[in-house]
Amino acid sequence: MHAFSRGTTSATAVAVPPSLALPVIEDAFPRRLHPYWPRLQENTRRWLLEKRLMPPDKVREYADNLCYTDLMAGYYLGAPDDVLQAIADYSAWFFVWDDRHDRDIVHGRSEDWRRLRQRLHTALDAPGDHLHHQDALVAAFADSVLRLYAFLPPTWNQRFARHFHEVIEAYDREFGNRVAGRVPGVEEYLALRRLTFAHWIWTDLLEASARCQLPDAVRKNPAFRRAALLSQEFAAWYNDLCSLPKEIAGDEVHNLGISLITHSGLTLEEAVAELRRRIENCIAEFIEAEREAMEFARELDDGTMRGKELSAAVRTCVGNMRNWFSTVYWFHHESGRYMVDTWEDRSTPPYVNNEAAGEK
């Protein structure tokens, strides 16, 4: 299914503000959606309700317009339907978790966050034991992880768990920074962002979508790894560019633009220009890395069945790294998550489940 600059939930063409427009993405990175997307959206909406991650009124009013399933359906093309569904549900959970983390900070719930952090670590290692946990966020996490663990060998599961343990700890460092009002330096921020954006989680899931666990020699090949990193860096930095107004309004300290303003002495306008420069360089570098990674994929096909399988899997993974650029780009202009100017309170997302998070 091919998609253009029209929202998946609306027939209206998406207007991209000039300050956020990237013509190279619109022209050279065609957008596509997995044909399962309509059912994916319906099933994830149902899953959010079943797992009590959002109350019915929030799901009814906001779930589709948040476009979480659009993001995944534009990334993991070629994935079997059940794999894509598990990834999409996990992604929706991730966004809800991110919102809980934010609300715990805003309301000073340090003990609640400490408890949740430990529960997630425990559930990650034994998801089957946490499917009926009293905290709906933990139970839903266990459900999504258990489903993801069913697709590839235990060694992949162990790697996924190792990577997500690191993500949880990075969120904890973010928590401490925000409570203290501490803006990390630019290099510190970039390293932290690779974890809080879960760079290697989304890259791991490329293998699940290709139904092929890649051996270390393939995953760590410089061409493959560089293409993977650049695709994720683009997503993280473009997210920072688009969410800068939202995060300034919410007294955030984790944004590349905020680090540049605080530690490099840039004005807001200069920080935005620097963000755009980095993003545009990232796109150009990816195009070169993509070419090298595809050449590596061709070299893997040595005439054996295993070589042919690995070559096809790498081509699929690299092709989906390219898809990440367009799906991330359009997501930021279609999702209600970034339409701060339409919120009643620019610091409080209207889709947040305040009651379940313990807010008064």
Side-chain angles (χ1 to χ4, degrees):
M1 181 181 295
H2 208 89
F4 300 95
S5 54
R6 292 183 179 273
T8 50
T9 57
S10 169
T12 306
V14 177
V16 180
S19 62
L20 303 177
L22 296 173
V24 66
I25 297 295
E26 298 181 24
D27 297 339
F29 288 75
R31 184 189 188 193
R32 296 182 295 156
L33 287 175
H34 197 292
Y36 182 67
W37 170 75
R39 289 178 58 198
L40 184 72
Q41 183 184 54
E42 178 183 339
N43 290 338
T44 295
R45 188 192 315 123
R46 183 183 303 116
W47 186 79
L48 287 167
L49 285 170
E50 289 175 352
K51 299 302 176 183
R52 297 178 294 113
L53 288 175
M54 295 172 68
D57 62 321
K58 298 286 187 185
V59 172
R60 186 167 51 250
E61 188 170 358
Y62 297 108
D64 288 354
N65 286 334
L66 287 170
C67 300
Y68 296 157
T69 56
D70 304 33
L71 183 65
M72 295 297 108
Y75 186 17
Y76 296 102
L77 291 171
D81 293 353
D82 60 339
V83 175
L84 184 61
Q85 187 67 64
I87 292 173
D89 291 350
Y90 168 76
S91 171
W93 173 87
F94 202 117
F95 280 112
V96 175
W97 176 50
D98 186 72
D99 292 334
R100 171 84 74 86
H101 176 260
D102 175 71
R103 295 294 95 186
D104 279 350
I105 293 167
V106 169
H107 292 276
R109 297 193 293 256
S110 296
E111 183 58 29
D112 289 344
W113 164 251
R114 185 200 62 77
R115 186 164 48 246
L116 175 60
R117 168 192 168 207
Q118 188 53 54
R119 287 171 173 174
L120 293 178
H121 276 306
T122 304
L124 183 58
D125 290 330
D129 296 339
H130 294 78
L131 294 173
H132 305 289
H133 197 280
Q134 61 184 0
D135 186 331
L137 195 71
V138 176
F141 176 65
D143 175 81
S144 62
V145 168
L146 192 63
R147 288 156 62 200
L148 292 173
Y149 281 179
F151 301 124
L152 290 176
T155 46
W156 182 93
N157 299 346
Q158 292 161 10
R159 188 205 325 150
F160 180 93
R162 183 173 69 253
H163 285 162
F164 201 75
H165 280 305
E166 293 173 350
V167 171
I168 296 168
E169 287 306 292
Y171 263 70
D172 188 56
R173 292 200 294 279
E174 246 196 34
F175 193 102
N177 285 341
R178 284 186 63 187
V179 168
R182 177 181 175 274
V183 178
V186 173
E187 293 306 315
E188 178 189 351
Y189 170 77
L190 292 174
L192 182 62
R193 184 64 161 147
R194 289 177 187 131
L195 294 172
T196 58
F197 200 82
H199 281 23
W200 302 117
I201 289 293
W202 306 119
T203 303
D204 288 339
L205 289 169
L206 288 171
E207 296 171 61
S209 70
R211 296 306 289 262
C212 180
Q213 181 183 12
L214 299 176
D216 284 353
V218 173
R219 286 193 308 110
K220 295 180 180 180
N221 173 272
F224 182 86
R225 194 165 179 85
R226 181 165 173 256
L229 178 61
L230 286 167
S231 73
Q232 293 296 324
E233 297 279 58
F234 165 79
W237 299 347
Y238 192 67
N239 175 269
D240 280 1
L241 180 64
C242 294
S243 62
L244 190 54
K246 168 177 175 271
E247 294 183 342
I248 289 175
D251 293 324
E252 249 286 8
V253 297
H254 294 96
N255 184 292
L256 181 52
I258 293 172
S259 287
L260 288 166
I261 291 168
T262 304
H263 295 285
S264 299
L266 274 58
T267 64
L268 176 59
E269 293 75 15
E270 290 169 341
V272 168
E274 174 61 13
L275 264 170
R276 285 189 62 94
R277 185 191 68 79
R278 289 177 182 242
I279 289 165
E280 289 164 359
N281 285 349
C282 189
I283 298 167
E285 290 177 20
F286 173 79
I287 292 171
E288 177 60 31
E290 175 188 38
R291 187 159 43 245
E292 294 175 2
M294 285 300 194
E295 178 58 32
F296 170 59
R298 285 190 288 273
E299 293 170 356
L300 286 170
D301 190 351
D302 58 3
T304 66
M305 285 296 296
R306 179 59 171 163
K308 183 176 181 179
E309 177 190 34
L310 287 176
S311 177
V314 169
R315 287 198 304 273
T316 296
C317 290
V318 175
N320 281 337
M321 291 173 196
R322 165 172 276 270
N323 291 333
W324 194 221
F325 286 80
S326 58
T327 196
V328 162
Y329 181 76
W330 292 114
F331 169 70
H332 281 85
H333 304 297
E334 294 172 358
S335 174
R337 192 173 180 87
Y338 303 100
M339 297 180 183
V340 182
D341 290 338
T342 67
W343 300 357
E344 184 176 338
D345 177 354
R346 287 170 61 90
S347 66
T348 304
Y351 49 81
V352 169
N353 180 359
N354 293 333
E355 182 179 351
E359 296 187 14
K360 303 299 183 184

